Amino acid sequence: LSVMVALALVEACRGQVLLVTDGKPSADIVVETNALASVKLAAQDLQEHIEKMSGTKMEITNAPQDKFKFHVYVGQSEFTKKLGIRVDDLKPEGFKIIAKDNYLVLVGRDEEQPKPPFGPGPAELKKWQEFAGEAYSMPPFGWVFNDKLGISPHDATATFYATSELLEQLGVRWYNPYEDGTVIPEKKTVAVAEQSFKKEPVFPVRHTTYYGAMRTDAEGVLWFKRLKYGCSYGIMIGHTTGEVLGWGSPEQMKAHPEYFAVVNGKTLTVPRLADASFRKSCLNFLDKTLEVYPYFKVVNMAPTDGFAGIDDRDAGKWLRRERGTRDWASDYVWDFWLYIAKEMKRMHPDLYLRCNSYTPYGEPPSGVNSLPDNVVVCIAQNTATAFLDQEGHEQLRKKWISMLSSKKLFIYDYYLFYRNDQFPRYPVFFTKHLQEDMQALAGVGEGKFVETSP
């Protein structure tokens, strides 16, 4: 009877690559010795899920072992090259799953950011300030590196996506982060169908952040990675003028009081965007940041969050309170941005400047019909409530698209944005609306930055 069962299993799995057969490993997992950290993570994730599925732990090795009939190659290696499997025909973050004969290949176009040279803490901050020449705060999101995983959550981890895609084929589901949100079917025999599968991102930007938790929450970051969150190129985000101001540090306020806006006679931690020395310092900050993070393709120099007012010396010329909450600072902010974009074009002609559509500069500036070709626009929105004014939402996108010479539109979205212990302000089941929003963005946008609470 056991022989008959074995023969039946062999027949059922013909044309498939066997990973586990009747509770015993049928294949090893082959990873190049010097593979990227995310590729090694992909191999470990595959190993762990197959073990939970079948009770069998597959071996991870650097070369195929003769004792196994089948081999799983994770990431590029000399062995995938011999099989003639390429990744240069893929878009950034694209991946392939090739299952044929006695092998399974999981491979993609990966790109990892190097670990930031300046870490957290006062001593590291001092090093950065000495390097930059001013009492700046750290560049925004330079600290987003998960030491436990050895990757930045924003890395292009395409081989990891391939592994996740395969596990989904095998029935695994990640409905929520952490163990209680994962569904793994039980299988004593794990077989992968013969295939030549390729997938590439519709949007190069699928960028998420949930504050400092990304540095420490390894499992949370892995959950996003299993859902294929990432970014095809380096993008600086944040309210960068705050870093130039040192977020109001005593050192920077004393050294450069001219950088800070005076509103109603009171000095605020808000930039005076019209000040020539402040503008020069912003360009220096970008220069020094690019020396540290040369992989950035899109940089920004955004007003501080909660932009509280225009300097008393500039208000007569630039303040537009009569235009309402989404427009009173647009002309002022864009005069600053157009200057930065012009200087950046001279200094870094291949880079883009990301400018925001964000209260109180959510509307386009007056008197400007076309934006420079090195300017991209990022609209801040909350999809969960955007449907309350869908027409206005769509009209705002059209306005910016008509002005963009670069044709690069981004969305900064707040999914499930609950602060601290507040109760949800809207239903969490709005996936149909999310889908419609993404479909509307296809072909006209680069994708989304998604901000959530930890």
Side-chain angles (χ1 to χ4, degrees):
L1 183 61
S2 61
V3 173
M4 291 174 64
V5 169
L7 289 172
L9 278 171
V10 170
E11 186 62 33
C13 296
R14 194 178 298 279
Q16 298 178 321
V17 175
L18 291 171
L19 307 187
V20 178
T21 305
D22 198 22
K24 296 180 180 179
S26 300
D28 49 12
I29 300 172
V30 182
V31 185
E32 198 170 58
T33 306
N34 61 347
L36 295 173
S38 64
V39 173
K40 293 178 180 178
L41 274 178
Q44 292 166 13
D45 215 45
L46 177 65
Q47 180 190 55
E48 290 171 10
H49 280 81
I50 295 299
E51 184 176 11
K52 290 176 181 177
M53 187 181 295
S54 66
T56 300
K57 188 170 185 176
M58 298 175 67
E59 292 182 41
I60 297 178
T61 182
N62 301 128
Q65 301 176 74
D66 292 337
K67 64 179 179 179
F68 294 110
K69 178 181 178 181
F70 299 97
H71 308 287
V72 181
Y73 299 102
V74 178
Q76 297 181 74
S77 66
E78 60 177 294
F79 307 107
T80 60
K81 289 177 184 176
K82 287 178 181 177
L83 292 171
I85 297 172
R86 305 161 47 200
V87 297
D88 58 358
D89 58 341
L90 290 167
K91 293 180 182 178
E93 294 189 279
F95 63 83
K96 294 178 179 179
I97 300 176
I98 310 293
K100 183 181 178 182
D101 301 331
N102 69 329
Y103 63 84
L104 165 65
V105 176
L106 305 167
V107 68
R109 274 191 64 180
D110 303 295
E111 185 175 351
E112 288 184 7
Q113 303 172 5
K115 186 174 181 178
F118 302 107
E124 294 294 301
L125 175 62
K126 188 174 181 181
K127 289 180 186 177
W128 156 250
Q129 291 173 342
E130 288 173 353
F131 172 77
E134 281 197 42
Y136 300 136
S137 296
M138 286 285 190
F141 288 84
W143 44 261
V144 182
F145 189 89
N146 191 289
D147 286 312
K148 185 174 181 180
L149 300 178
I151 63 169
S152 164
H154 310 138
D155 284 342
T157 51
T159 296
F160 195 97
Y161 309 150
T163 302
S164 300
E165 184 80 23
L166 176 76
L167 290 170
E168 287 182 332
Q169 287 185 13
L170 297 174
V172 177
R173 297 291 182 268
W174 300 283
Y175 291 113
N176 283 300
Y178 320 114
E179 189 175 356
D180 60 351
T182 301
V183 174
I184 302 177
E186 293 184 7
K187 297 183 179 184
K188 285 298 180 183
T189 294
V190 181
V192 177
E194 184 175 317
Q195 61 188 285
S196 181
F197 179 91
K198 181 174 88 168
K199 182 176 279 190
E200 296 171 321
V202 174
F203 299 103
V205 178
R206 305 163 323 285
H207 192 298
T208 186
T209 181
Y210 52 112
Y211 310 110
M214 299 187 80
R215 288 185 58 235
T216 55
D217 182 11
E219 183 57 31
V221 170
L222 282 177
W223 183 70
F224 278 114
K225 284 298 176 186
R226 290 167 186 145
L227 301 185
K228 305 179 183 69
Y229 275 77
C231 197
S232 297
Y233 47 85
I235 300 176
M236 182 197 299
I237 63 175
H239 296 274
T240 334
T241 57
E243 277 73 30
V244 176
L245 297 178
W247 291 105
S249 69
E251 295 85 359
Q252 196 69 328
M253 292 191 85
K254 182 179 179 181
H256 296 286
E258 69 277 13
Y259 293 179
F260 295 82
V262 177
V263 179
N264 296 325
K266 182 181 179 181
T267 301
L268 303 179
T269 312
V270 172
R272 186 187 178 196
L273 299 178
D275 183 77
S277 59
F278 175 73
R279 292 183 173 194
K280 184 177 179 181
S281 184
C282 289
L283 293 168
N284 176 64
F285 179 90
L286 289 176
D287 250 357
K288 295 301 182 180
T289 298
L290 288 165
E291 284 188 52
V292 177
Y293 306 110
Y295 49 80
F296 280 140
K297 303 300 180 190
V298 180
V299 298
N300 76 298
M301 187 51 62
T304 49
D305 205 1
F307 188 58
I310 295 175
D311 186 273
D312 292 342
R313 292 158 287 185
D314 305 325
K317 181 179 180 180
W318 295 109
L319 188 60
R320 307 282 191 268
R321 287 290 184 190
E322 72 280 2
R323 294 187 187 175
T325 57
R326 285 192 56 80
D327 198 11
W328 63 262
S330 290
D331 288 357
Y332 182 62
V333 171
W334 274 96
D335 181 74
F336 168 73
W337 275 335
L338 291 174
Y339 169 83
I340 297 294
K342 180 181 177 181
E343 293 302 303
M344 261 189 54
K345 187 72 173 179
R346 178 177 60 83
M347 298 161 60
H348 303 284
D350 297 330
L351 298 185
Y352 292 97
L353 176 68
R354 184 178 66 86
C355 303
N356 300 332
S357 170
Y358 186 68
T359 300
Y361 39 93
E363 293 290 328
S366 60
V368 179
N369 297 317
S370 179
L371 297 173
D373 60 5
N374 67 334
V375 166
V376 305
V377 168
C378 183
I379 301 175
Q381 71 176 45
N382 184 330
T383 303
T385 55
F387 65 88
L388 297 174
D389 181 21
Q390 191 64 35
E391 184 178 350
H393 178 75
E394 292 171 359
Q395 286 178 355
L396 183 63
R397 283 193 187 183
K398 288 178 181 178
K399 285 180 190 176
W400 286 115
I401 290 169
S402 71
M403 298 172 66
L404 275 170
S405 302
S406 67
K407 303 302 179 187
K408 290 186 181 293
L409 178 74
F410 300 83
I411 302 295
Y412 196 101
D413 214 328
Y414 306 95
Y415 286 176
L416 306 182
F417 194 63
Y418 313 141
R419 284 192 180 277
N420 303 323
D421 297 325
Q422 292 178 359
F423 288 105
R425 297 185 297 278
Y426 38 75
V428 296
F429 296 102
F430 60 105
T431 52
K432 184 174 186 293
H433 183 55
L434 290 181
Q435 184 183 52
E436 290 169 352
D437 190 63
M438 293 307 295
Q439 289 170 344
L441 191 62
V444 298
E446 292 286 282
K448 287 188 177 183
F449 304 89
V450 178
E451 182 174 332
T452 65
S453 295

